Amino acid sequence: MRAMRPAALAAALALLALACTRQEQREREIRDEVAVVATREGPLAERAIQELKKFGRDAIPPIEAALPTASTTGRLNLVWALRVLGDPEAVPLLTQVALHDKDEAVRAEAETTLRKWATGKTVRAARATDALRQIEEKRGTGKSG
């Protein structure tokens, strides 16, 4: 195999550094918007949620990371952000929130999101339906066949 020329190697390294910088910038932007959603109310939180929508499923892990330390209002906002994202990858997180959050309003909001998603014949609907079944079983309200 032939070695890369120094100029080509330098160009490749510069492109790699630029790509890393862009990815780091994107991750920072997501974290910043999640922080606003978790700590603010009203128009500021709503604007941040709309910004998160642009990042899609990449916003789910930072939202998950923010949930344990957010206030009740912040957790409600974070669940709302997951609803707006609409990504089926959020179903397991919503399930955990619906089962384990310390506040009834937050648990109810997560479950409401799953119920809204459980309609239709999409992957998201199927996952949400399964999640609701799991929630009912874990709460002891599962219906016997």
Side-chain angles (χ1 to χ4, degrees), residues 124-140:
R124 184 179 79 178
R127 289 183 184 175
T129 300
D130 289 344
L132 290 166
R133 192 174 306 115
Q134 290 174 20
I135 290 168
E136 289 174 357
E137 288 172 4
K138 289 185 179 177
R139 288 184 182 159

Side-chain angles (χ1 to χ4, degrees), residues 42-98:
L44 284 175
E46 292 170 18
R47 184 211 48 82
I49 289 170
Q50 290 308 311
E51 288 298 313
L52 286 175
K53 189 174 181 180
K54 297 174 186 175
F55 295 106
R57 86 173 30 155
D58 289 345
I60 296 172
I63 289 172
E64 182 174 13
L67 277 163
T69 58
S71 67
T72 299
T73 300
R75 293 192 317 278
L76 284 167
N77 286 346
L78 292 165
V79 169
W80 183 34
L82 291 170
R83 182 184 299 166
V84 169
L85 289 176
D87 195 291
E89 294 297 318
V91 169
L93 179 54
L94 288 165
T95 304
Q96 289 303 306
V97 172

